[in-house]
Amino acid sequence: MLRLTLILSLLAAPVLAQDPGAAAREAARALEEASEQLDRAESARDRVRALTTTVKAYEAGLAAMRDGLREAAIRETELSRRLQGQEAEIAQLLGVLSSMGGRAAPGAMLHPDGPVGAARAGMMLAAVTPGLNAQAEALRSDLEEVTALRTLQQSAAQTLQQGLTGVQEARTELSQAVADRTDLPKRFTEDPIRTAILISSTETLQGFASGLSQITEDETRTQLPPIDDRKGALGMPVQGEILRRAGEADAAGVTRPGIVVATLPEALVTTPTAATVRYSGPLLDYGLVTILEPQPDLLFVLAGLDVVYGQTGEVLPAGSPVGLMGGRAAGRDPSPSVEGGGAGRTETLYIEVRQGDRPVDPLTWFASDKG
């Protein structure tokens, strides 16, 4: 488990433009709750829930670290440039302060204009001394902040590496827990032959979605609570940033009715509400796809996964894992340069929402403050 100090280590950093400490504290609390929940887990289903919470807490904590380090690097660069631009002024200031700090020689007490000139010079020196002291104090503060920021960045590599190792272990445990899970209700059984025929006979997502009812056997009329009252307030299935909105063209000029979310490698994808898995597997040119049905005539399509969890026909509780994004070869050691050192969000998840037989803008259902 990731030590809380890995998250809380950023709290010692200087206050930045957007304080990363609040996010780090929240991530630490979520991680602590996840650890306690994991200790209490008894059944495979409880373990899946606890591990899901743990992985999301890791991701939130690592995101807080990345944000903090990015802000620290920007601030350190800003201060260094400012100090370099003031080198001449700083040298002059240090010379004045040095001469003021020593004991004046007897000759320094004489003034060419006599006692009156000496008195005037003393009055002028007394007037500028507070300003010189204030300037020296500001310089001292900037130098101390630069030193603290450099120390933070130098010590962050090991902390980040440990965090990345921890999240990788949690993801591995989660995959095993999902495989061991046997207590989820099943609304129907998938007919693999009908599924293969449907996939081979359709060329569009719309055609496939329209024929989903054909691949089921022994379907029961299990009704999940309606979610119309939560429209526009559902959490996003993955932590990331919206890269393209519905109807926006990609680099090739192709437009789709869904949104594209940029994520970090191996980000966890979850169902934002209780839902039936209508399909899970490869589909057309979308890669691995999970299609969720939270209520009749409403489908959430999640495409571009590297690993999918769950079986077609299962009813998943809200917040259940449905898969992981790609981005790292199996067995590769996690590295801050890949996930934590500013490499960015390299994976993309395509999210489409279908009501009835037509697509609608996913952001009419999901709340997002990014993009």
Side-chain angles (χ1 to χ4, degrees):
M1 298 302 296
L2 180 64
R3 302 291 188 271
L4 293 184
T5 52
L6 300 184
I7 304 295
L8 294 173
S9 61
L10 282 184
L11 303 184
V15 177
L16 305 174
Q18 293 183 348
D19 181 16
R25 282 190 291 270
E26 183 62 30
R29 283 193 293 270
L31 181 59
E32 187 173 18
E33 292 172 2
S35 301
E36 294 173 355
Q37 187 176 9
L38 183 60
D39 292 338
R40 296 194 302 268
E42 296 179 357
S43 68
R45 185 172 177 179
D46 290 336
R47 186 167 177 79
V48 167
R49 184 186 301 113
L51 283 167
T52 300
T53 306
T54 301
V55 171
K56 294 181 78 171
Y58 272 113
E59 291 180 347
L62 290 171
M65 286 184 179
R66 283 187 290 267
D67 290 344
L69 290 176
R70 184 164 51 249
E71 293 289 345
I74 293 172
R75 177 63 174 164
E76 190 260 338
T77 300
E78 174 190 341
L79 288 172
S80 295
R81 288 177 177 174
R82 189 167 74 189
L83 291 173
Q84 289 174 2
Q86 295 177 329
E87 286 183 353
E89 183 180 350
I90 290 172
Q92 184 178 10
L93 173 62
L94 292 177
V96 173
L97 292 175
S98 176
S99 64
M100 291 174 58
R103 180 173 295 179
M109 302 299 293
L110 301 177
H111 193 279
D113 294 335
V116 175
R120 289 175 178 173
M123 293 173 64
M124 292 176 61
L125 183 61
V128 300
T129 297
L132 292 173
N133 288 335
Q135 191 173 359
E137 184 60 33
L139 173 62
R140 184 182 301 108
S141 177
D142 286 349
L143 290 172
E144 289 176 352
E145 186 173 353
V146 168
T147 301
L149 290 169
R150 287 177 178 170
T151 301
L152 170 66
Q153 295 176 75
Q154 291 169 359
S155 64
Q158 182 179 0
T159 296
L160 194 53
Q161 179 68 35
Q162 290 175 306
L164 294 172
T165 301
V167 71
Q168 188 68 9
E169 292 173 354
R171 286 167 180 156
T172 301
E173 290 185 36
L174 176 60
S175 297
Q176 185 60 52
V178 170
D180 294 340
R181 181 174 57 188
T182 59
D183 56 350
L184 282 179
K186 293 202 71 171
R187 183 175 171 183
F188 62 85
T189 302
E190 178 188 19
D191 186 322
I193 296 179
R194 292 179 183 174
T195 301
I197 293 174
L198 178 62
I199 292 176
S200 63
S201 63
T202 57
E203 298 180 354
T204 63
L205 179 58
Q206 178 179 353
F208 183 80
S210 299
L212 282 177
S213 60
Q214 303 173 14
I215 69 174
T216 67
E217 286 185 344
D218 305 322
E219 184 165 354
T220 62
R221 296 182 59 84
T222 303
Q223 293 293 334
L224 295 171
I227 60 169
D228 293 298
D229 60 334
R230 299 169 59 195
K231 188 174 183 178
L234 293 177
M236 293 287 286
V238 69
Q239 180 179 341
E241 297 179 359
I242 297 176
L243 188 63
R244 281 191 298 277
R245 295 179 179 269
E248 289 184 351
D250 61 15
V254 177
T255 61
R256 296 184 188 270
I259 62 174
V260 176
V261 180
T263 79
L264 289 168
E266 295 186 303
L268 179 65
V269 182
T270 60
T271 173
T273 183
T276 302
V277 180
R278 274 291 170 181
Y279 177 74
S280 182
L283 180 62
L284 303 175
D285 61 344
Y286 290 91
L288 289 179
V289 174
T290 291
I291 301 179
L292 304 171
E293 184 185 59
Q295 66 184 26
D297 295 323
L298 179 64
L299 297 176
F300 294 161
V301 181
L302 310 175
L305 297 158
D306 185 65
V307 176
V308 289
Y309 297 139
Q311 299 179 4
T312 301
E314 288 182 334
V315 180
L316 302 178
S320 296
V322 296
L324 293 173
M325 301 301 295
R328 180 155 41 229
R332 179 176 174 180
D333 292 333
S335 168
S337 64
V338 174
E339 189 172 352
R345 306 178 189 275
T346 60
E347 304 306 303
T348 55
L349 180 72
Y350 176 70
I351 303 175
E352 185 170 312
V353 175
R354 304 188 66 84
Q355 287 184 262
D357 199 31
R358 63 183 182 86
V360 298
D361 186 350
L363 294 183
T364 62
W365 281 93
F366 298 109
S368 175
D369 58 356
K370 295 183 179 181

